Amino acid sequence: MTEAPPRRERPAPKPVTADRLRRAALYYLQRYSSSAEQLRSVLSRRVARSCRHHGQDPASFEPVVAEIVAGCIRSGLVDDARFAQARAATLRRKGRSARAVSAGLAAKGVARELVAATVSGGEAEELAAALIAARRRRIGPWTPPGRERDRQRQLGMLLRAGFAMAIARRIVDAADEDSV
């Protein structure tokens, strides 16, 4: 058996400056869509890491981080409503329930009011997402032959994913995709 190569040490972080933080924010936003709170968290972690290494106080950089985030919001680089709509649409296409979408947006730092306005979909949208989830997990009409007797397990999978019992039963008890 060969020996694993030695792990490379992570280089020491450079001292924090307002200009470096601004460039880091722009670089982050080039790669990822972000909410304001998520960007604040990313910059705060960067500040904390650098301050730990250089013996500085991270609290002294909070106004700088706040100003950079506010500038990104003013310039339109960060828009929580646009982020929430795009993220919710992505999660729905993956078969996530309204509860899971709400939890995912809240974890990204989107305000509760905005989450409620974004996720307010109807039963048809919830059923469409549940069908996608069932197809991906091969349950309900997509159950492989010989596994039809796992009804309780299949119901549990959909319920744990955040779907209502009525929708879960409807999918699990369906004979084929068209009868849902």
Side-chain angles (χ1 to χ4, degrees):
M1 187 166 164
T2 62
E3 205 173 297
R7 294 185 91 185
R8 278 188 5 180
E9 292 274 332
R10 203 171 186 189
K14 294 180 181 176
V16 177
T17 64
D19 187 49
R20 279 196 180 116
L21 282 177
R22 190 170 289 106
R23 283 187 277 139
L26 292 175
Y27 183 67
Y28 180 79
L29 292 172
Q30 282 177 351
R31 294 178 295 156
Y32 306 107
S33 178
S34 176
S35 67
E37 187 58 38
Q38 188 177 5
L39 179 62
R40 181 177 288 107
S41 174
V42 166
L43 294 177
S44 295
R45 282 194 309 266
R46 186 179 193 99
V47 165
R49 182 171 179 260
S50 178
C51 287
R52 258 193 325 269
H53 184 76
H54 295 288
Q56 296 172 313
D57 180 26
S60 64
F61 290 98
E62 286 177 12
V64 175
V65 169
E67 177 55 38
I68 291 171
V69 171
C72 290
I73 292 171
R74 279 193 307 271
S75 68
L77 292 173
V78 173
D79 182 2
D80 282 0
R82 188 178 61 218
F83 171 76
Q85 289 173 347
R87 185 79 180 138
T90 298
L91 293 173
R92 285 303 212 168
R93 282 192 304 270
K94 290 181 176 184
R96 299 294 176 5
S97 67
R99 289 180 190 149
V101 172
S102 296
L105 290 175
K108 295 290 185 179
V110 178
R112 284 185 182 187
E113 302 81 32
L114 190 54
V115 169
T118 303
V119 179
S120 61
E123 187 177 331
E125 188 176 332
E126 190 77 355
L127 180 62
L131 285 170
I132 293 168
R135 187 177 305 122
R136 289 178 73 149
R137 293 184 175 130
R138 300 185 62 162
I139 58 178
W142 297 277
T143 302
R147 307 245 353 235
E148 295 86 4
R149 294 179 23 182
D150 293 341
R151 182 176 188 275
Q152 291 300 319
R153 184 184 64 84
Q154 292 179 8
L155 280 173
M157 289 171 71
L158 288 173
L159 293 174
R160 282 188 300 276
F163 295 105
M165 178 60 102
I167 290 177
R169 282 185 180 146
R170 190 170 163 187
I171 290 174
V172 170
D173 294 338
D176 60 4
E177 185 177 355
D178 298 328
S179 66
V180 174

